[in-house]
Amino acid sequence: MLLNITTTHQPATDLGYLLHKHPDKCQSFPMTFGQAHVFYPESNTQKCTATLLLDVNPVDLVRGKSNSQGEGKLSQYVNDRPYVSSSFMSVAIAKVFRTALSGRCKDMPELVGTAIPLSVNLPVLPCRGGISFLKELFEPLGYEVTGKAIPLDSTFTAWEDSVYIDATLSNTLPLQNLLSHIYVLIPVLDDDKHYWVGDEEIDKLLRHGEGWLNEHPIKEQITKRYLKRRWSLARKALEQLSEEDTQDIEVEDTVRDEEEAAIEKPISLNQQRLEVVAETIKQSQAKRVIDLGCGEGKLIKYLLKSKSIEQITGVDVSYRTLEIAKKRLKLDDLPFHQKDKIQLIKGSLIYRDKRFNNYDAATLIEVIEHLDLNRLAALERVVFEFAKPKLVIVTTPNIEYNVQFKSLPHGKLRHRDHRFEWTRKEFQDWANNVCENFNYQVAFQDIGDEDSEVGTPTQMATFTLSI
Ligand code: SAH
């Protein structure tokens, strides 16, 4: 079975440094279940491909007693394992590309964190769940996914396709991230690990899933399959994952939202904010609107009043919040013509997602301040580079105004989950920078009662795509 990693980063031969494997050499590594070989079928400055060839020996497998319990004798020797990418491939990646997977590169350390164009081809990938599942796994991580189902037997077309796919995954990202993604997700696709899964597997999952798994829209499914459907382990892993995100959104958000509302209540800021945003959308004549970080659907309720809007999609990373939104919007009781307009989807704003495409307007209402500053660049790309709606409205607190809130202790932010709050200058600098990078123009608007010194409590930026 093969794994091909190709880059067109210039000079492409840098791939050799990143993988710690010289492009002119062919190297072999003994594995408990056979041999792994690394070589470069193509290597020049324009394009470079590294191949990991895994030669699994079914006899070694039986000797190692892998995956053999309870099965008939023949199936121990005759099975698909030598010919497909499975957990054996992950084990080989961890051994052969250990240094690259851990994000180290002695010769070119600056390349380790650099996003480079990469493409992975797995010619025989078991895909229990089909191409759509493959896409569900990789598209939220920003990959372009192409896959061709392999027929069960080309001489008997009536037998239809097998569970195997010739898959190619392309993305621009650091090599270490790509290796972590495939290390975790190959066994998830195969849904059949060759070894006993215990507590130490949780550590592996959390280590290699760091920075992406907790935000993945189907992290529960990934975790369960990775841990071979051992529910107690999966529960433990998911708990640890949410602890990792210190202020996990699902847990205490309702309480926190109420706190923020109480601070802002005397001026019913929330209402003013939603009215201004809904009015701006209406003026733009947008027909399809996506509310990113929709929370409990307050803006969606306002937008529903506007007859000219044909489609409203709310996105949030928190399943629980979406459930509340569904109840508050009384989705199940709405007349069909209104219900059909609304769609609520679970998704993360820091991963490219095709479901965010083809909207006239996107809103980020009191959302950006809930993201760690170092994740904001990812959100910018997802919204302004990939989804690219004609109009984007962003609102966020103006920190200068906080002194006016009598109930807010000095120096505190308005909400315990806020990772930052910006001054007017900080917000405007950020917005102008977004315009420069992604070809938008921006206008600013103040929302709420104005103080001559510290301005208004909320600041809003309306971005329009330059033609
Ligand atoms: N826009 C809503 C909610 C604001 S609170 C309103 O004005 O009422 C911020 C919301 O952003 C929360 O519901 C939170 O779950 C969501 N959120 C935070 N980080 C996110 C992410 N990375 N992807 C998607 N949603 C996110």
Side-chain angles (χ1 to χ4, degrees):
M1 84 188 79
L2 294 173
L3 162 82
N4 300 307
I5 304 177
T6 301
T7 187
T8 49
H9 159 83
Q10 311 281 303
T13 41
D14 281 353
L15 187 61
Y17 290 107
L18 279 171
L19 289 173
H20 285 245
K21 299 283 170 291
H22 198 288
D24 295 338
K25 281 193 197 155
C26 174
Q27 287 172 268
S28 299
F29 305 83
M31 310 290 302
T32 53
F33 44 80
Q35 285 269 324
H37 311 275
V38 179
F39 56 92
Y40 289 73
E42 180 173 17
S43 134
N44 56 59
T45 51
Q46 303 298 310
K47 195 172 170 203
C48 186
T49 298
T51 294
L52 173 62
L53 165 70
L54 206 52
D55 189 7
V56 173
N57 182 344
V59 177
D60 286 348
L61 284 189
V62 179
R63 284 206 189 109
K65 292 199 201 66
S66 313
N67 207 20
S68 60
Q69 270 105 12
E71 289 184 11
K73 276 226 160 95
L74 187 62
S75 67
Q76 293 179 16
Y77 291 94
V78 183
N79 56 48
D80 69 353
R81 299 294 92 179
Y83 314 106
V84 305
S85 293
S86 65
S87 46
F88 293 107
M89 183 59 95
S90 293
V91 172
I93 290 172
K95 179 163 182 183
V96 177
F97 298 141
R98 192 181 62 229
T99 321
L101 185 63
S102 63
R104 283 176 287 133
C105 178
K106 200 164 67 267
D107 295 315
M108 301 185 99
E110 72 286 355
L111 255 191
V112 168
T114 308
I116 58 173
L118 287 164
S119 168
V120 168
N121 172 242
L122 292 147
V124 191
L125 180 65
C127 228
R128 288 168 226 283
I131 293 184
S132 58
F133 185 52
L134 178 69
K135 290 190 171 183
E136 266 185 83
L137 289 177
F138 282 95
E139 282 183 349
L141 299 169
Y143 289 82
E144 201 175 295
V145 176
T146 48
K148 217 169 66 212
I150 299 174
L152 207 51
D153 187 327
S154 51
T155 47
F156 299 98
T157 45
W159 290 2
E160 298 184 350
D161 290 334
S162 65
V163 293
Y164 308 111
I165 289 178
D166 178 356
T168 302
L169 315 160
S170 310
N171 197 359
T172 300
L173 76 175
L175 177 70
Q176 182 196 8
N177 297 13
L178 174 130
L179 291 175
S180 309
H181 295 155
I182 55 175
Y183 174 88
V184 171
L185 297 178
I186 287 176
V188 167
L189 278 158
D190 184 33
D191 204 11
D192 183 14
K193 274 213 168 127
H194 66 277
Y195 51 88
W196 171 250
V197 165
D199 268 335
E200 65 289 352
E201 282 307 278
I202 299 182
D203 293 338
K204 278 193 216 159
L205 176 66
L206 297 181
R207 195 164 69 244
H208 296 295
E210 196 186 339
W212 61 273
L213 182 57
N214 199 28
E215 299 284 343
H216 199 291
I218 55 166
K219 69 173 171 191
E220 288 86 1
Q221 222 173 327
I222 294 174
T223 305
K224 280 173 198 156
R225 279 193 179 211
Y226 186 88
L227 297 168
K228 230 174 165 179
R229 299 182 190 267
R230 290 198 52 204
W231 305 106
S232 58
L233 290 183
R235 210 173 315 117
K236 229 194 259 176
L238 286 164
E239 269 166 25
Q240 290 185 31
L241 260 184
S242 49
E243 271 167 27
E244 185 187 284
D245 195 349
T246 46
Q247 283 142 326
D248 182 40
I249 313 147
E250 305 230 1
V251 187
E252 288 179 62
D253 241 23
T254 319
V255 184
R256 294 173 185 168
D257 285 347
E258 280 163 11
E259 282 174 9
E260 185 178 19
I263 291 164
E264 293 183 341
K265 194 168 178 200
I267 47 171
S268 77
L269 183 56
N270 193 28
Q271 209 171 330
Q272 289 184 53
R273 189 158 51 216
L274 296 175
E275 276 168 14
V276 173
V277 174
E279 186 54 31
T280 311
I281 298 267
K282 201 167 153 195
Q283 296 294 332
S284 79
Q285 298 179 332
K287 288 192 168 33
R288 292 172 53 80
V289 183
I290 185 160
D291 187 21
L292 301 169
C294 64
E296 296 169 5
K298 292 180 193 140
L299 177 65
I300 296 178
K301 212 166 187 172
Y302 268 82
L303 295 178
L304 263 182
K305 292 183 198 152
S306 172
K307 293 207 172 57
S308 56
I309 300 180
E310 292 166 6
Q311 172 72 48
I312 309 167
T313 298
V315 181
D316 207 283
V317 77
S318 159
Y319 181 74
R320 234 183 60 178
T321 305
L322 288 174
E323 285 290 297
I324 299 173
K326 197 170 150 201
K327 279 202 196 110
R328 287 215 170 158
L329 290 165
K330 301 195 175 69
L331 273 197
D332 291 334
D333 304 332
L334 284 181
F336 279 124
H337 70 278
Q338 283 210 318
K339 191 178 173 182
D340 289 347
K341 265 192 193 182
I342 305 177
Q343 194 192 177
L344 296 175
I345 56 178
K346 183 171 178 337
S348 167
L349 306 178
I350 56 175
Y351 293 107
R352 184 179 180 181
D353 193 327
K354 281 201 180 131
R355 298 174 301 172
F356 304 166
N357 293 357
N358 302 320
Y359 285 91
D360 303 312
T363 49
L364 285 154
I365 308 307
E366 307 294 285
V367 172
I368 56 169
E369 62 276 10
H370 289 265
L371 268 80
D372 287 330
L373 271 172
N374 62 6
R375 294 195 167 166
L376 213 49
L379 173 135
E380 288 164 26
R381 292 194 70 196
V382 168
V383 176
F384 295 96
E385 182 179 336
F386 299 120
K388 228 177 183 31
K390 290 194 259 325
L391 181 81
V392 182
I393 299 176
V394 179
T395 74
T396 193
N398 162 20
I399 194 172
E400 297 167 73
Y401 193 91
N402 285 3
V403 291
Q404 298 288 325
F405 293 120
K406 301 286 171 269
S407 57
L408 186 66
H410 180 71
K412 272 218 151 174
L413 301 182
R414 287 180 213 180
H415 191 287
R416 272 188 278 159
D417 188 46
H418 284 183
R419 312 298 162 97
F420 62 88
E421 284 173 2
W422 275 336
T423 63
R424 284 167 289 179
K425 177 162 186 321
E426 283 169 325
F427 181 50
Q428 290 174 14
D429 285 350
W430 171 77
N432 286 324
N433 196 34
V434 165
C435 288
E436 253 175 53
N437 290 339
F438 304 104
N439 200 29
Y440 275 79
Q441 288 175 325
V442 67
F444 298 99
Q445 197 169 331
D446 302 319
I447 301 177
D449 294 343
E450 181 153 12
D451 175 89
S452 57
E453 257 181 51
V454 293
T456 56
T458 297
Q459 34 190 353
M460 173 167 123
T462 306
F463 296 86
T464 39
L465 185 60
S466 307
I467 314 150

